[in-house]
Amino acid sequence: MDTKSLARSFIYTDWILTETQFEPDKLHSRETVFTIGNGYLGTRGSFEEGYVRALPATFIHGVYNDVPVVYTELVNCPDWLPLVVIVNGDRFRLDRGEILRYERQLDLRYGILSRSIRWRSPSGHTIDMQFERFASLADEHILGQRWQLTPLDFDGLIEIEASINGYPENQGFNHWENIDQGKTEHGIWLHSRTRNSLIDLAIGAKMTIWGTEASVQVNNAPGYPTLSSTFLATAQQTVIVEKFVTVYTSREIDTPVTAALEKLAHLQDYTVLLNGHKQAWERVWQQSDILIEGDTTAAFAVRYNLFQLLIAAPWHDDKVSIPAKTLSGFGYRGHIFWDTEIFLLPFFIFTQPKVARNLLSYRYHTLNGARRKAAHSGYQGAMYAWESAVTGDEVTPRWSLPNDFYGEDVRIWCRDREIHISADIAYAIWYYWQATGDDEWMQDCGAEIIFDTAIFWSSRIEYNSPSDRYEIRGIIGADEYHEFVHNNTFTNRIVQWHLEKALIVYDWLRQTLPERVQELEQKLQLTPQVRSRWQDIIAKMWIPYDPSTGLIEQFEEFFQLEDINLNNYEPRQKSMQAILSIEGANKRQVLKQPDVLMLLYLMRASAEFPYNQKTLQANWDYYAPRTDITYGSSLGPAIHAILAADLGNLNEAYQRFMQAAMVDLEDSRDNTKDGIHGASAGGVWLAVVFGFGGIQLTEHSPVANPHLPANWTRLKFKLHWRNQWHEFDLHQTLATEDKGNKEKEDTRMGEQKDNKDKETSTINAQSPSETSHNPDIRGVIFDLDGVLTDTAEYHYLGWQKLADEEGIPFNRVANEALRGVSRRASLMLILGNRKYSEAQIQEMMARKNRYYIELLKNITQNDLLPGAIALLDELRQAGIKTAIGSASKNARQVVDRLGIADKVDAISDGYSVDKPKPAPDLFLYAANQLGIKPAQSVVVEDAAAGIEAALAAKMWAVGLGPVERVGAAHVVLPSLAGIKWADLQAKLNDAANKKIDIW
Amino acid sequence: MDTKSLARSFIYTDWILTETQFEPDKLHSRETVFTIGNGYLGTRGSFEEGYVRALPATFIHGVYNDVPVVYTELVNCPDWLPLVVIVNGDRFRLDRGEILRYERQLDLRYGILSRSIRWRSPSGHTIDMQFERFASLADEHILGQRWQLTPLDFDGLIEIEASINGYPENQGFNHWENIDQGKTEHGIWLHSRTRNSLIDLAIGAKMTIWGTEASVQVNNAPGYPTLSSTFLATAQQTVIVEKFVTVYTSREIDTPVTAALEKLAHLQDYTVLLNGHKQAWERVWQQSDILIEGDTTAAFAVRYNLFQLLIAAPWHDDKVSIPAKTLSGFGYRGHIFWDTEIFLLPFFIFTQPKVARNLLSYRYHTLNGARRKAAHSGYQGAMYAWESAVTGDEVTPRWSLPNDFYGEDVRIWCRDREIHISADIAYAIWYYWQATGDDEWMQDCGAEIIFDTAIFWSSRIEYNSPSDRYEIRGIIGADEYHEFVHNNTFTNRIVQWHLEKALIVYDWLRQTLPERVQELEQKLQLTPQVRSRWQDIIAKMWIPYDPSTGLIEQFEEFFQLEDINLNNYEPRQKSMQAILSIEGANKRQVLKQPDVLMLLYLMRASAEFPYNQKTLQANWDYYAPRTDITYGSSLGPAIHAILAADLGNLNEAYQRFMQAAMVDLEDSRDNTKDGIHGASAGGVWLAVVFGFGGIQLTEHSPVANPHLPANWTRLKFKLHWRNQWHEFDLHQTLATEDKGNKEKEDTRMGEQKDNKDKETSTINAQSPSETSHNPDIRGVIFDLDGVLTDTAEYHYLGWQKLADEEGIPFNRVANEALRGVSRRASLMLILGNRKYSEAQIQEMMARKNRYYIELLKNITQNDLLPGAIALLDELRQAGIKTAIGSASKNARQVVDRLGIADKVDAISDGYSVDKPKPAPDLFLYAANQLGIKPAQSVVVEDAAAGIEAALAAKMWAVGLGPVERVGAAHVVLPSLAGIKWADLQAKLNDAANKKIDIW
């Protein structure tokens, strides 16, 4: 997979995503990536100060409004973020002035987005700024912002304007009318209303300033209420600004303005509210966290995907559901697909069952919409919309219209033909019921959905008399590369399954609540004839399955289509539809996403027909190579990961899993700007729990049959099953073990214990490196000049100037001898056997240093050598410590100017030790600073003296440059450009095995 | 025609439209009606203070941007109007507090919109406010606003915030990205850019305050720069605020921000700029005005329509054209249709030929778009777009998409089939050339258009071999109720005409500029074969014309369609398409707009085939009754008016003319909110000049053959023809006259003299009323109590209280005797023969008056009797003067409280004369005030004494109430409710003939 060099600016640690550079060309995808939310609303990670073409957005669940072509869309709400900061007359913008430090962090554990910046204004004033924001999970109507401003080198006027922007937009469209606005003693407020759906929204805001004399003014420009203040700031003194925003809509209260102002008037202080918010997050993670050890990236990425699901979860609202792009972007207009029931729901069923109930209740509340769709389409019962919004009516657009004057209108057929959604919902209800035992909801809501969609099916299915079988013709299956097919096996079987379960639910309901059965029989005209037809359909539904081979034909005559070898199209950066056109794809055996394999995945849960190992293998072998798993649907990879894990193909499983897990962090499909891939995020949980964890649902409990990826040393998660919590703490094992666990496997095992609302865990640990001779590297010490930067050039210029002044011959060739040599030693080499007094020597050293320091002022990030930043970041991510080990007395200054001070854990410089390289002292000092042993240390050097010093310190040495110079090192590289930590490790491992006794 | 009681709040005088009430339910149509502009931009008449759901808009010619479905639209630009006024803490809004006076005026002569308001804030502070705005016609980049604020009854703080709103919207969509903004020493500025078309717009603004101590602050909320000020205002002292706005786009200058700020920095003062603007308007009207006498409404309405054309005219830009809804609304998205060439252009050709040249040059600059359309459609040459914007590519939407979930997509076929536009443009070019003699433009631009569209036609036309004729199949003609027809005669003939003229132009060009012919021959592949094919097509084009009857079939088999009698559908308020559906209309002989008659109108200009009187009559008789002239296309009425005038059917002509002239003033199609009906406005000029003026274009000059409507005493206009101005001053005549004029007519005549850039006029005047016995009414005098208002009730309550206090029996029955009786006389009647001293009498009179005045404080507009306002307004419009003739000494106070002070010309009250009614003195006094004779006066009275007084004054008397009371009057009515001036006149005429000697 092409990582598009995105890793460069992201660092993943346990819970924290760190962005280390301001990258305006990635503005939109990063706004998505840094979304925060609390399940009531989601706010994209746009910058407070605003940029042209930025796409700030706040989406509130259930707030939709009309729009042409796509009928309705999730509405971008008034923006609560805008902050203008004017520093001594210069408006703060990262694209002006100079960024001296930049770090943005998303803390998943506590749902806090923060940013730390040191900025020098165009007029040359330097200021430190901290931005923080959160959407309270403890009280979903409260949003908080805190800014800290510290002038570094000036006293001056700072103006701030914090606004509510009442002109938000959905791709240019503003769904709101501003009804009224005003100020109160506590702040400002704005009252807006959606144009067609007439939802009222009220936002209140107030602002407090600490650490200076400042009063807050109100400007009430129409639709743009603003809290502003101008104050005198003093160098090195921090001013803190806190802003609170309260939000209500008429969806939850009749008088949102009153509610927002009431809440605003009685807010507790920032710290108290933030702590409440953090505690709420801790409670959520107690149930939903997955711990992975041994694979930092996967560990973080899994949590990141779960975070996306949690911030989009409607905790307190059962009339909304999670859109395909969650509450994080404009893609798919906030419409709700089968993604929710099939991909997202299991995570909630097993870790936050109340949310799962809310999500399914949304389908109950939109049942009438599904009934209208059935009636408009000429069918009975309830036919769920392929894309659904507030009412449940069909909102899939009919057309993709061209932008150019003479382009083709492209008809979108999903609304008409992708009908499996009604069975998908029944499937989700069934497993919600199985997992939770929530009989009450099944009686009140679930049964009615299952029955009325079953009634739809019996009106939709055709009886083929000559063949005496039931068929479903003219549809789109799960695979959307084929737009008009008959008897798609996925659909035929899931519908058959649906009718099977409908009869079971009917019998159960008749036994447990006969009056409800009667009620539904009447309401839905659920006659004995209807049920008998269901039975007939179950018996005679056509499922083209070949029991001898296990191979299933995707749909009628699929095997007659032109075959395809996707390898012939590699390398590619786009989907097969983009390459072949939809007509071309229609004619070939190429899949956008799993279809037969999707069916097998669904039937796997209870090992129902046609799922079994043989069928899985046969169909995997046939369909996986024909599936556009890289650029087809983002729904595919996680499902492939699970099935590949089932089949013992862990490499494939891990690759697909990481594809799903990183899709937004790496923007690998180039559409993260449109919002988080919600189904993929749900799929990540499925892949970890059902794929690697190998969870199988038995009658009594979930059981683990783990297949952990090679580098995972531990996998820990909890599942809620029928009112009990089950904790799984799974470990990599190299040999068979038995600690009272009946399940055995050749190479891996897991163990799980039941408990009642209490956690217990069992650990089977073994160090994966015990049997290897590989060095146990814990830290890397970098020389500075010639390794991370080019300051050698500045030294050379300094020495050259000195030499010229003294009339001593000197040139670049002569300079080569000075690499890694201390200042005094360098001077000695230049002076040769010329005689100078100690005072003269001191003066010359000082003079050269003045020149050098003068020259250093020109250093910037641009002076970093290629590969330096990338490797430093990668090391930090991998948990490897880093230090600078430089003979220079200016090392700190250089490190600061290069902007890498926050990327290294320690700096050893010309002041640290007395004996210069080639003595080992400097590196030993550095290793000591890092708290690691010499044998756990790697030195990266470009000078012979440095290599000698590293070897003298008994450290691993990496030499940069020609073998003539650094050939003594364990590993020799031309430079750091393109060097990955994994590669370097491999080379060091090789070296360790070859020349283990180099020391 | 249903006037929808709109007349009630509009008053039309020569040049001024006055709106007398704030009517929030008509917000959108009034925004259109009060649009101002200068041909560079148009700004809808939205209120500065802003209202929910208001549709403020400023459109700049040529500023388009992409939009789904309709490809591109004219962009609503940042709003320069917003003004927040806060009066002692209360934000000024007409829907809060109390409106004590309201008048909005559009001055057509000088292009100035003003508003005068007396408003009492919710806290009870009364303030007079004058708003004025103009878009300079002298410098199109300058916009001016002036506000005058006069506190009446308080000293207090006034805050004003004048903004530029950088979030304008086209039906919710904001086409702009705000690039930057800031402040300068002269004011504020905003720099925005359209999202797709990347047009930069800069707006600068500054504000000056006179008459108080006030400083101006700048707030720079993102996208909403604001100039604000807070000052202390003093009762009865006027504060004047002047705001200037400068506007540039990258369409006319590379650095619009610099240009806007430069202009802002060097502006002259308000009065100077306003005067320059007014002088520019005077110059324009000198050429374009039409004077009508004898019909106030028509006189105003004609000027109103011409004003709409003039403010949308691109004076200095030849790359734009006038959209169907001008620059006044969102309808048709600013797209350009045949409306411009066929309906609007003649006005400009004959009165502002430079604008006509610009408009036609737009078609030249978009010729490549027309070529692309031809190529994409598989044809040669240039095929103009049915709807056109910047590039000339086709921008007619393909679809009208449903808003509801299951509605039908309706395909719009005009882009594919309504192809006559290419010939319409050739037609317009031909007549531009004929009228102006602009050979240079014809050589440079016109010829190329005519040739390349002719080449298109020869590739589009089919040869029908069996019939040996050319045909045009599968199109839409002028009539859009038939969407797929063959051989539409309108199209066949106009195409044939086009090819005829193409050959003439070719020959002319070969003679006058042979090198240009060669150039075009090469460029367009205009070979002799092509020209010979044109000749063949001309010879064999099928024109289904029956010379025996003159009847023309609209298209092949039209006469076989089901016939229709539109009378059977009356009364109706919607189009026949809305009634029958388009499919239903397709099948019937019902026309949306003239089609055969449109062809006859076009051929009428030079009396070309098939136009002649017989053909006209035959086809009028057939098609006019089958045309949906009321609710079909708004393009129809003016054309019908012209043809009806030709046929001598002046009633019909006048009715259709007024339908066109009033379409927006009366919002008779309920879509004025979408913008001015531009084609109808152009049609109004055509109807006046060609219809009523009967202008015919001869080889040497235009000649008038007038047919003036009965009430028009004078019609005066100018035409520019081949570098000469021709003035027509036409008069109604009752008998044949001859003043050296060879043209004679039975009842009417006109005369015209040529001159060179100099006006002369000839007048043939005769009073139309000389031969009638009808009274020559010039004024109406209204009693107040019981006629215009109910104050009789307050008098009664006052007398009742007095009588009770004095122990005198009194009741409502007794009160009836006091109608129209003076205060002293009333008291005498109440006291009867009881004895009181004069001092007691005086005291009682004073006491009753105190009670009465106290009670009067409760009077409001609601106390006006039904019909009062309507009649007062109608009289003012008709030029009839009005007075109050009331015995009350409180009449003025009552008139003020009723809010009708500005609707009457004089007030005669209890102080005016000594002798009370039934003496004639009061009414004689009133007539004298009005400057009219008693015989020209009507008195409206409800009291016997009043009628007696009127008759004694030898005036016409109208009595309101029972015959028992007012039977002596000439005319007796129950009340004024529903009374129209015309009705009243008719009754007075009757009375005059019956009881001429009642006096």
Side-chain angles (χ1 to χ4, degrees), chain B residues 479-750:
Chain B
D479 161 33
E480 292 173 339
Y481 278 176
H482 299 91
E483 290 190 296
F484 187 80
V485 306
H486 306 310
N487 291 307
N488 165 254
T489 311
F490 168 86
T491 306
N492 283 16
R493 171 56 188 138
I494 189 83
V495 169
Q496 184 189 47
W497 180 98
H498 179 171
L499 298 178
E500 290 165 7
K501 297 304 185 268
L503 288 170
I504 293 170
V505 171
Y506 178 86
D507 291 340
W508 168 80
L509 192 60
R510 193 166 51 183
Q511 283 167 24
T512 58
L513 201 63
E515 62 274 26
R516 176 66 174 151
V517 160
Q518 277 171 19
E519 192 187 333
L520 289 177
E521 280 175 346
Q522 284 211 326
K523 181 175 180 184
L524 310 178
Q525 296 176 285
L526 180 49
T527 60
Q529 291 73 35
V530 169
R531 297 198 306 282
S532 126
R533 182 167 156 91
W534 291 355
Q535 266 161 334
D536 199 44
I537 294 172
I538 292 167
K540 296 180 181 167
M541 177 65 92
W542 189 36
I543 308 289
Y545 169 71
D546 180 348
S548 67
T549 61
L551 193 61
I552 296 167
E553 188 165 19
Q554 184 173 320
F555 53 77
E556 217 175 305
E557 300 193 338
F558 177 83
F559 290 147
Q560 264 82 76
L561 298 181
E562 186 182 324
D563 206 0
I564 196 166
N565 183 343
L566 291 181
N567 292 327
N568 296 343
Y569 296 86
E570 296 293 345
R572 63 185 168 98
Q573 300 288 327
K574 51 185 178 176
S575 74
M576 290 309 296
Q577 176 172 345
I579 292 168
L580 301 171
S581 84
I582 186 64
E583 292 76 17
N586 275 330
K587 289 184 211 147
R588 290 181 174 82
Q589 292 190 41
V590 57
L591 285 67
K592 183 176 175 187
Q593 61 251 92
D595 189 289
V596 168
L597 292 175
M598 190 70 206
L599 173 64
L600 293 173
Y601 161 73
L602 292 176
M603 293 301 119
R604 170 191 183 281
S606 306
E608 291 174 284
F609 172 80
Y611 179 86
N612 61 45
Q613 200 72 5
K614 173 184 159 191
T615 310
L616 180 58
Q617 189 72 57
N619 287 286
W620 173 270
D621 291 345
Y622 194 83
Y623 287 106
R626 289 171 175 80
T627 304
D628 183 3
I629 203 70
T630 42
Y631 293 98
S633 168
S634 66
L635 276 55
I639 301 302
H640 271 209
I642 296 166
L643 299 180
D646 280 1
L647 293 169
N649 184 348
L650 277 191
N651 268 349
E652 174 79 10
Y654 185 74
Q655 194 186 340
R656 294 297 154 230
F657 159 76
M658 285 300 280
Q659 194 180 336
M662 303 305 287
V663 63
D664 291 315
L665 287 168
E666 294 187 339
D667 192 14
S668 47
R669 302 174 69 91
D670 200 24
N671 62 355
T672 292
K673 63 181 183 297
D674 300 330
I676 289 293
H677 290 79
S680 181
V684 165
W685 186 87
L686 295 171
V688 172
V689 171
F690 293 112
F692 300 132
I695 293 296
Q696 310 240 312
L697 305 172
T698 71
E699 189 52 31
H700 302 297
S701 71
V703 170
N705 180 22
H707 325 262
L708 301 196
N711 49 345
W712 291 18
T713 52
R714 187 179 181 196
L715 169 62
K716 183 170 167 232
F717 55 87
K718 273 186 187 174
L719 299 180
H720 191 258
W721 175 263
R722 299 186 185 174
N723 291 318
Q724 287 197 342
W725 282 105
H726 300 255
E727 176 160 296
F728 295 85
D729 196 350
L730 311 175
H731 292 257
Q732 191 71 260
T733 58
L734 288 172
T736 307
E737 291 194 10
D738 192 342
K739 290 194 181 176
N741 186 326
K742 289 178 185 170
E743 296 157 65
K744 287 188 187 176
E745 257 205 313
D746 270 354
T747 56
R748 293 171 189 87
M749 63 155 302

Side-chain angles (χ1 to χ4, degrees), chain A residues 53 96 167 169 171-174 177 180 195 222 224 373 376 393-394 398-399 405-407 409 415, chain B residues 53 96 167 169 171-174 177 180 195 222 224 376 393-394 398-399 405-407 409 415:
Chain A
R53 302 230 147 179
R96 296 193 186 154
Y167 301 92
E169 58 175 62
Q171 294 159 318
F173 193 87
N174 176 3
E177 290 180 323
D180 205 353
R195 290 166 195 255
Y224 219 105
K373 182 177 178 187
H376 277 283
D393 288 283
E394 181 59 77
R398 274 193 178 77
W399 296 99
F405 302 120
Y406 308 107
D409 305 321
R415 64 179 291 134
Chain B
R53 300 231 147 177
R96 299 197 185 151
Y167 301 92
E169 59 175 63
Q171 294 157 318
F173 192 86
N174 176 4
E177 289 179 322
D180 205 353
R195 289 165 195 255
Y224 219 104
H376 276 283
D393 288 282
E394 180 61 77
R398 276 191 177 80
W399 296 100
F405 303 117
Y406 309 106
D409 306 322
R415 63 180 291 136

Side-chain angles (χ1 to χ4, degrees), chain B residues 281-337:
Chain B
W281 268 108
E282 276 179 351
R283 287 191 294 274
V284 165
W285 282 119
Q286 260 182 8
Q287 297 181 192
S288 294
D289 186 32
I290 291 181
L291 174 73
I292 294 168
E293 289 181 359
D295 185 343
T296 316
T297 301
F300 174 82
V302 166
R303 281 180 172 143
Y304 181 81
N305 281 284
L306 303 188
F307 178 78
Q308 296 305 325
L309 301 178
L310 293 167
I311 63 174
W315 301 93
H316 311 296
D317 191 341
D318 70 353
K319 293 197 172 62
V320 299
S321 185
I322 303 179
K325 296 288 184 184
T326 70
L327 300 180
S328 64
F330 298 92
Y332 294 119
R333 313 298 188 115
H335 293 181
I336 293 134
F337 295 69

Side-chain angles (χ1 to χ4, degrees), chain A residues 27 181 379 381 564 618 665 715 777 933 950 954:
Chain A
L27 196 63
Q181 65 190 86
Y379 301 112
I564 195 165
L665 287 169
L715 168 62
I777 304 300
K933 298 173 190 169
K954 300 275 183 199

Side-chain angles (χ1 to χ4, degrees), chain A residues 52-54 66-69 71-72 82 84 91 93 96 159 161 163 165 167 169-181 183 193-196 198 218-224 226 369-370 372-374 376-377 391-395 398-399 401-409 411 415, chain B residues 52-54 66-69 71-72 82 84 91 93 96 159 161 163 165 167 169-181 183 193-196 198 218-224 226 369-370 372-374 376-377 391-395 398-399 401-409 411 415:
Chain A
V52 173
R53 302 230 147 179
D66 297 4
V67 67
V69 188
Y71 304 97
T72 188
V84 172
R91 183 164 165 178
R93 286 168 59 155
R96 296 193 186 154
E159 300 165 59
E161 296 182 10
S163 306
N165 178 359
Y167 301 92
E169 58 175 62
N170 287 59
Q171 294 159 318
F173 193 87
N174 176 3
H175 284 289
W176 299 96
E177 290 180 323
N178 290 318
I179 302 299
D180 205 353
Q181 65 190 86
K183 57 181 166 183
R193 185 177 295 148
T194 55
R195 290 166 195 255
N196 311 97
L198 305 180
V218 169
N219 309 128
N220 246 322
Y224 219 105
T226 298
R372 284 190 292 272
K373 182 177 178 187
H376 277 283
S377 310
T391 63
D393 288 283
E394 181 59 77
V395 294
R398 274 193 178 77
W399 296 99
L401 296 175
N403 289 321
D404 61 305
F405 302 120
Y406 308 107
E408 290 288 309
D409 305 321
R411 183 67 158 80
R415 64 179 291 134
Chain B
V52 174
R53 300 231 147 177
D66 298 3
V67 66
V69 186
Y71 304 98
T72 188
V84 172
R91 183 164 167 177
R93 286 169 59 156
R96 299 197 185 151
E159 301 164 58
E161 298 182 11
S163 306
N165 178 0
Y167 301 92
E169 59 175 63
N170 287 60
Q171 294 157 318
F173 192 86
N174 176 4
H175 284 291
W176 298 97
E177 289 179 322
N178 290 319
I179 302 298
D180 205 353
Q181 66 190 83
K183 57 180 167 183
R193 184 177 295 147
T194 56
R195 289 165 195 255
N196 311 98
L198 305 181
V218 169
N219 309 126
N220 246 322
Y224 219 104
T226 299
R372 284 189 292 272
K373 183 178 177 187
H376 276 283
S377 310
T391 63
D393 288 282
E394 180 61 77
V395 294
R398 276 191 177 80
W399 296 100
L401 296 175
N403 290 322
D404 61 304
F405 303 117
Y406 309 106
E408 289 288 308
D409 306 322
R411 183 66 158 81
R415 63 180 291 136

Side-chain angles (χ1 to χ4, degrees), chain A residues 530-751:
Chain A
V530 168
R531 297 197 308 280
S532 129
R533 182 167 156 88
W534 292 354
Q535 265 160 334
D536 198 43
I537 294 171
I538 292 167
K540 296 180 181 168
M541 176 65 91
W542 189 36
I543 309 289
Y545 169 71
D546 180 347
S548 67
T549 63
L551 193 62
I552 297 166
E553 188 164 20
Q554 186 174 318
F555 52 77
E556 216 175 309
E557 300 190 340
F558 178 83
F559 289 146
Q560 265 83 74
L561 297 181
E562 186 182 324
D563 205 0
I564 195 165
N565 183 343
L566 291 181
N567 291 326
N568 296 342
Y569 297 86
E570 297 293 344
R572 62 186 169 96
Q573 301 287 329
K574 51 186 180 177
S575 73
M576 290 309 298
Q577 177 172 345
I579 291 169
L580 301 171
S581 86
I582 186 65
E583 292 76 17
N586 275 329
K587 289 184 210 146
R588 289 182 175 82
Q589 291 189 42
V590 56
L591 285 67
K592 183 175 177 189
Q593 61 249 93
D595 189 290
V596 169
L597 292 177
M598 189 71 204
L599 173 64
L600 292 173
Y601 163 71
L602 292 176
M603 292 302 119
R604 172 189 182 283
S606 306
E608 289 175 282
F609 172 82
Y611 179 85
N612 60 45
Q613 198 73 5
K614 173 186 160 188
T615 311
L616 179 58
Q617 187 73 56
N619 287 285
W620 173 269
D621 291 345
Y622 194 85
Y623 288 105
R626 289 170 174 81
T627 305
D628 184 2
I629 203 71
T630 43
Y631 294 99
S633 168
S634 65
L635 276 55
I639 301 303
H640 272 209
I642 296 166
L643 299 181
D646 279 1
L647 293 168
N649 186 348
L650 277 191
N651 267 350
E652 173 80 11
Y654 186 72
Q655 194 187 341
R656 296 297 155 228
F657 158 75
M658 285 300 280
Q659 194 182 334
M662 303 306 288
V663 63
D664 290 315
L665 287 169
E666 295 187 337
D667 193 14
S668 48
R669 303 174 68 92
D670 201 25
N671 63 354
T672 293
K673 63 181 183 299
D674 300 330
I676 289 293
H677 291 79
S680 181
V684 164
W685 185 87
L686 295 172
V688 172
V689 170
F690 292 111
F692 302 132
I695 292 296
Q696 311 239 314
L697 306 171
T698 70
E699 189 53 30
H700 301 295
S701 71
V703 170
N705 180 21
H707 325 262
L708 301 195
N711 49 344
W712 291 19
T713 52
R714 188 179 180 195
L715 168 62
K716 185 172 164 229
F717 56 85
K718 273 186 188 172
L719 299 179
H720 191 259
W721 175 264
R722 301 189 184 172
N723 291 319
Q724 287 197 339
W725 281 103
H726 299 256
E727 177 161 296
F728 295 85
D729 195 351
L730 311 175
H731 293 256
Q732 191 71 261
T733 58
L734 289 172
T736 307
E737 292 191 13
D738 192 341
K739 290 193 182 178
N741 186 326
K742 289 177 186 172
E743 297 158 65
K744 288 186 188 178
E745 258 204 314
D746 267 350
T747 58
R748 294 168 191 88
M749 66 155 299
E751 178 164 320

